[in-house]
Amino acid sequence: MTDTVSRRSTLRLLGAAIAVATAATGGLTPPSRAWAQDKPDAGVAPRVEALIAKLTLDEKISLLHGATDPATLGQAGYVPGVKRLGIPPLRLADGPAGVRVTKHATALPAPVLLASAFDPALARRYGQVIGREGRALGQDVLLSPMVNLIRTPYAGRNFETFSEDPLLSSDLVAAEIEGIQGEGLIATVKHYAMNNQEKDRTTVDVRIDEQTMHETELRAFEAAVRAGAGAVMGAYNKVNGTYACESKPLLTDILRTRWGFDGWVMTDWHAAHSTVNALTAGLDMEMPDGAYFGAALKTAAQDRSVLEQHIDRAVGRVLTVLDRFGLLGGKASPRPARDAEAGAAVALEVAKAGATLLRNEQGTLPLTAGNIAVIGPTGTLPFVSGGGSAHVVPDHADSPLDAIRVRAGRGAKVTSALGEDLYGKPLPASALSPDFTSEGQGVGTGRTWTYDGKLTVAEADEWTFVIHYSAASAALRPKVLVDGKELFPVKPGYGEWFSGGLIYTAPDGLNVRRATVRLTKGTHTLKITAKGGDTGQLFRLRHTTGATRAKDVAAAVRVARAARHVVLFAYEDATEGQDRTSIALPGHQEELIEAVTAVNPRTTVVLNTSSATSMPWLARTGAVLQMYYPGQEGAAATAAVLFGDCDPGGRLTQSFPVDDDRHPVAGDAARYPGVDGREEYSEGIRLGYRWYDAEGVPPLFPFGHGLSYTSFSYEDLSVRTAGGGLDVAFTVRNTGRRAGVAVPQVYVGKSPDLRLDQVVRVLGGYRRLSLRAGEQRHVTVHIAARTLSSWDPTVHDWALGTGPRTVWVGASSRDLRLRGRGDVRG
């Protein structure tokens, strides 16, 4: 450990003196001192050097790529060890919101909900839960946290990351990594770098200038390195013309030489594209197999197109981390037992702390006793997490309806209505000729079941067919053709690998797929082929139509009209592998909200969504509560906030646009999703709220926004020079009649002395405060020199923004209560 720390510290001290030249495209050329590249064993501990000397070439290569786990626990990856030398195998699990294996784990709230608490200490405890459970569940490496910035509201994985703001993301990722690794689990920060969308993620070429890259996306990755992250995952996309996983500017010049990273770099799954270029650029491990770092690497070593010292360098990086975590030579600490109760407590605390109240008119919330109507499919079904890598098998998950009933007590009347049908209604027998058991058709092992009949439609309508099926393989999904058109074909590429956390799984666990077609009045052909495969399968074929939707909405309206309070749950089901196509709520939920709020203005809309949502219905609601994907304790947390058992303590970590036409990448295909495979980050450093400020565009809700059940005043501002930055002191007073949470935010304006591009204001710091009624607290928030600096591409380093700087203190990026000035001195 001493050698490791010494090397990291030395490299960091050197970093400020290393000039990294810039290519014409804005990428970085090799540094003037590339000894970290040429001397791969610099700083390697003697025990690691001794191990490398004993390894055969085949053994070395086996440590640099994934393989099939002979005793898999359902994790994402596996690297075989070398038993004769005491090098253990490694199991690598996804885990942005809990450990993703086949066994039960604590399903924590989505990272974006954690971030909404603006509380690094809570992020550290969040990491501790994952770290302990990862080790308890037989894992060695966590493929998390994700720290890519929220650049576009359409990105399918926005819920897996933290924020649009570099400072907030930096604070949270560092704290979470400390929590994870403090429990002995190796953390992997991802996806390095500029992986800010799912659309074309494996091919898109991100073009970004040097200043933008360092001031936005790279800052949180640097914070993760400084927090000691053991591993970094390279992104799928290209950056300035080169795949991220073979980019020497990213993997060596910045990551290792400038930042002093001494862990290992792995690919995202199947993100390798070369052997020689990737290894020499600084990639150490290919996952999940060895297409390039297996036999091809051995051949390259034998014909000397790759020097064995580069292989030794990569092996040394892996072994150095294992040594640091006590995993070599059988020295690993015993694996702990899971503490499900402690995990659940943290999950509940995070969900309550991040709950963000966006609107609250006429005292709609907290709820009072009386007749309460719960409407919406996610009111009766627990919505735990998003899909893809973030999915966790939870210990339990209650429905919000049940939690609201329990909290309301026996004296209250709680009714419910579906409102929007996610899983379809049985096909009417009268419409089928001949009839068949559409609600539960079994197909025996090795058997094939077929149906060739007619479907009679009484009126022209939009039909959504919904197939529920038990087969694990998409290839065995029942084949359904209406008028000769196949409804549920297998998606190409990785399309079938990723599915959402809610709408793709029925309440009884069957897989679900949907297809919408317009059917004319009359008779249509319906053909079905279902195979039993090796284990047999069960399937259901259901439907929804405009007529069935109208009935569901009418039922919801009746329930809402009869109630004093309405809690309407709305959803958006995001997943890795695909972006959203609109920030509007999916399906026909907007129509449902319009209908319900028309008869009951005391309607609270609870949003279980991944990211920003447009709200054309906003003015008709009483309240809007953003809960994102709240984890296994989400129902209890939602009920606690609705009834005022706790203050809604969250604040937005991303700006919410008014609609699809007014946000930083709107109307510019070159910015998103890219044109001809190339994407321009032409907004530059104006990311998120910085763009809204620069363009004078009002967001629907600004960065940092969130309401409380009490009120706060801000006063007594003073600013002074301190510690190379500024200390901003002020007093926050709870002026209401109940306890509550305030999150004062400090913003800082431009430097008059810098001849560089600057934004109107940036977040300089923040503080989360819990204050009793009438309580006041004097706080000091430090704005660090890094936040007061801009990246100067002419010298390839940070330039401190000296001179008088305007400082604001407020409740959001647009609700600025105090204004002062501080003098930054060089």
Side-chain angles (χ1 to χ4, degrees):
M1 179 107 44
T2 302
D3 296 311
T4 299
V5 172
S6 137
R7 175 172 177 258
R8 183 186 299 126
S9 300
T10 301
L11 281 170
R12 286 176 184 162
L13 290 172
L14 285 169
I18 296 174
V20 184
T22 257
T25 61
L28 301 180
T29 57
S32 56
R33 293 187 61 188
W35 59 268
Q37 175 79 5
D38 298 331
K39 296 182 68 61
D41 57 350
V44 173
R47 54 188 168 274
V48 171
E49 289 183 343
L51 271 179
I52 294 172
K54 295 174 184 178
L55 288 166
T56 66
L57 178 61
D58 286 336
E59 288 171 336
K60 291 174 184 177
I61 291 173
S62 74
L63 295 173
L64 302 184
H65 66 82
T68 300
D69 189 347
T72 183
L73 299 170
Q75 78 281 354
Y78 174 80
V79 178
V82 181
K83 188 175 182 180
R84 71 181 184 87
L85 295 177
I87 301 173
L90 294 178
R91 289 185 168 88
L92 302 85
D94 289 316
V99 184
R100 186 181 183 235
V101 293
T102 53
K103 295 182 178 179
H104 289 278
T106 300
L108 292 160
V112 71
L113 183 55
L114 165 69
S116 301
F118 278 69
D119 188 350
L122 187 59
R124 187 173 294 106
R125 299 215 306 282
Y126 185 98
Q128 287 170 341
V129 170
I130 299 176
R132 180 186 177 109
E133 293 205 344
R135 293 213 68 237
L137 292 167
Q139 304 305 299
D140 307 290
V141 182
L142 183 75
L143 304 172
S144 186
M146 174 179 171
V147 78
N148 301 102
L149 295 181
I150 297 175
R151 174 178 179 262
T152 166
Y154 303 119
R157 301 182 80 172
N158 281 348
F159 69 96
E160 288 189 54
T161 192
F162 299 119
S163 175
E164 69 186 22
D165 183 76
L167 172 64
L168 179 61
S169 296
S170 298
D171 291 347
L172 297 173
V173 74
E176 185 180 343
I177 286 171
E178 290 167 2
I180 293 165
Q181 296 194 156
E183 299 297 317
L185 190 69
I186 300 167
T188 307
V189 65
K190 64 183 187 184
H191 310 82
Y192 185 67
M194 275 60 78
N195 184 179
N196 306 114
Q197 66 190 58
E198 295 300 281
K199 173 70 173 172
D200 300 328
R201 67 176 181 172
T202 62
T203 57
V204 69
D205 181 8
V206 172
R207 296 299 174 122
I208 182 171
D209 67 79
E210 189 179 333
Q211 182 182 1
T212 298
M213 184 161 53
H214 281 274
E215 289 191 25
T216 60
E217 179 85 348
L218 293 189
R219 183 168 181 182
F221 283 100
E222 181 181 3
V225 169
R226 296 192 184 282
V232 168
M233 180 185 290
Y236 284 115
N237 51 279
K238 296 176 184 176
V239 178
N240 293 330
T242 303
Y243 281 109
C245 285
E246 54 188 44
S247 169
K248 184 176 178 291
L250 284 175
L251 302 185
T252 295
D253 301 346
I254 296 174
L255 183 63
R256 296 195 182 277
T257 305
R258 175 168 285 279
W259 294 346
F261 177 62
D262 55 10
W264 87 83
V265 178
M266 70 180 79
T267 67
D268 205 335
W269 268 223
H270 302 287
H273 293 274
S274 66
T275 301
V276 178
N277 289 346
L279 185 70
T280 56
L283 182 69
D284 303 308
M285 181 182 289
E286 177 188 5
M287 292 303 296
D289 53 28
Y292 294 95
F293 275 28
L297 180 54
K298 183 175 181 179
T299 298
Q302 290 171 335
D303 66 20
R304 296 194 60 76
S305 56
V306 162
L307 299 178
E308 192 162 348
Q309 75 179 58
H310 287 118
I311 295 175
D312 289 351
R313 176 188 65 191
V315 172
R317 290 167 176 169
V318 175
L319 295 182
T320 293
V321 177
L322 301 194
D323 188 39
R324 172 180 152 201
F325 281 78
L327 297 178
L328 295 181
K331 299 176 183 177
S333 58
R335 293 189 183 274
R338 274 195 70 214
D339 189 340
E341 184 176 344
V346 172
L348 179 61
E349 181 181 1
V350 171
K352 291 193 292 187
T356 306
L357 185 60
L358 301 179
R359 173 180 170 87
N360 192 23
E361 297 297 312
Q362 306 299 319
T364 300
L365 293 180
L367 297 178
T368 56
N371 187 345
I372 302 170
V374 176
I375 295 173
T378 49
T380 55
L381 295 170
F383 196 167
V384 175
S385 66
S389 301
H391 179 69
V392 177
V393 181
D395 287 311
H396 66 90
D398 297 328
S399 79
L401 175 62
D402 290 341
I404 289 171
R405 279 179 171 154
V406 170
R407 175 57 185 81
R410 294 183 179 180
K413 180 182 179 182
V414 180
T415 56
S416 66
L418 186 62
E420 172 101 346
D421 193 342
L422 294 182
Y423 304 109
K425 303 183 188 304
L427 291 174
S430 60
L432 298 170
S433 177
D435 190 16
F436 72 95
T437 311
S438 64
E439 270 301 279
Q441 183 65 54
V443 185
T445 302
R447 305 292 296 273
T448 298
W449 181 91
T450 62
Y451 175 84
D452 189 349
K454 304 292 183 182
L455 174 68
T456 301
V457 176
E459 298 291 339
D461 204 344
E462 179 186 87
W463 279 59
T464 296
F465 289 91
V466 188
I467 187 81
H468 301 210
Y469 62 98
S470 62
S473 167
L476 288 176
R477 182 163 60 230
K479 187 174 183 179
V480 180
L481 291 89
V482 172
D483 294 335
K485 179 183 178 181
E486 186 173 355
L487 297 183
F488 312 108
V490 176
K491 294 181 180 179
Y494 293 101
E496 290 290 346
W497 284 50
F498 303 111
S499 58
L502 175 74
I503 66 173
Y504 289 94
T505 306
D508 62 358
L510 295 187
N511 299 302
V512 175
R513 295 294 185 272
R514 294 165 185 77
T516 299
V517 296
R518 185 81 187 177
L519 295 183
T520 58
K521 179 180 179 179
T523 301
H524 300 265
T525 63
L526 175 62
K527 296 183 179 182
I528 306 171
T529 303
K531 297 181 179 180
D534 294 334
T535 59
Q537 76 161 308
L538 175 74
F539 77 90
R540 296 186 288 261
L541 184 61
R542 291 182 172 180
H543 79 302
T544 60
T545 66
T548 67
R549 285 194 298 273
K551 290 181 180 178
D552 287 337
V553 171
V557 166
R558 286 194 299 272
V559 169
R561 183 181 284 116
R564 172 169 172 75
H565 300 281
V566 175
V567 183
L568 193 159
F569 286 81
Y571 72 91
E572 176 258 320
D573 197 13
T575 181
E576 176 183 0
Q578 62 187 36
D579 282 347
R580 305 160 72 189
T581 57
S582 170
I583 62 171
L585 291 171
H588 297 267
Q589 295 180 93
E590 288 188 355
E591 298 168 21
L592 173 64
I593 295 172
E594 296 277 5
V596 168
T597 53
V599 300
N600 193 329
R602 295 184 67 80
T603 295
T604 297
V605 176
V606 178
L607 294 170
N608 292 132
T609 54
S610 68
S611 189
T613 304
S614 59
M615 305 178 197
W617 37 263
L618 179 65
R620 298 177 181 85
T621 63
V624 178
L625 177 65
Q626 176 62 259
M627 291 299 297
Y628 296 105
Y629 302 152
Q632 69 179 43
E633 307 299 324
T638 302
V641 174
L642 289 174
F643 283 93
D645 298 336
C646 64
D647 206 40
R651 304 295 184 266
L652 290 182
T653 69
Q654 58 191 300
S655 307
F656 274 37
V658 171
D659 53 35
D660 286 302
D661 298 324
R662 285 172 280 185
H663 55 75
V665 300
D668 189 343
R671 286 189 183 179
Y672 174 86
V675 176
D676 297 328
R678 175 169 165 157
E679 185 176 31
E680 304 283 350
Y681 279 36
S682 56
E683 73 276 13
I685 59 176
R686 289 161 184 80
L687 179 75
Y689 65 89
R690 304 173 179 194
W691 179 87
Y692 289 94
D693 288 344
E695 298 296 323
V697 174
L700 179 64
F701 294 111
F703 173 88
H705 172 72
L707 303 177
S708 168
Y709 290 147
T710 187
S711 56
F712 301 95
S713 68
Y714 296 73
E715 53 198 29
D716 301 330
L717 175 66
S718 65
V719 184
R720 67 181 182 87
T721 303
L726 297 174
D727 275 355
V728 181
F730 52 94
T731 298
V732 181
R733 185 194 309 273
N734 183 340
T735 56
R737 293 180 292 179
R738 56 183 294 158
V741 174
V743 183
Q745 300 148 46
V746 177
Y747 295 86
V748 61
K750 299 178 181 181
S751 161
D753 296 342
L754 286 180
R755 298 298 178 259
L756 296 167
D757 193 18
Q758 299 179 71
V759 298
V760 175
R761 64 181 66 88
V762 298
L763 182 69
Y766 52 89
R767 185 69 58 83
R768 182 182 177 88
L769 303 173
S770 296
L771 298 176
R772 299 183 304 275
E775 182 182 4
Q776 67 177 36
R777 193 169 305 168
H778 192 69
V779 297
T780 300
V781 173
H782 181 69
I783 306 177
R786 171 61 62 85
T787 301
L788 296 165
S789 301
S790 295
W791 182 267
D792 188 342
T794 63
V795 297
H796 317 297
D797 211 339
W798 294 98
L800 181 64
T802 55
R805 306 286 294 268
T806 301
V807 172
W808 296 267
V809 178
S812 79
S813 66
R814 289 293 179 100
D815 183 5
L816 303 172
R817 313 281 184 87
L818 303 174
R819 177 172 175 163
R821 179 165 289 190
D823 188 40
V824 178
R825 302 168 188 167

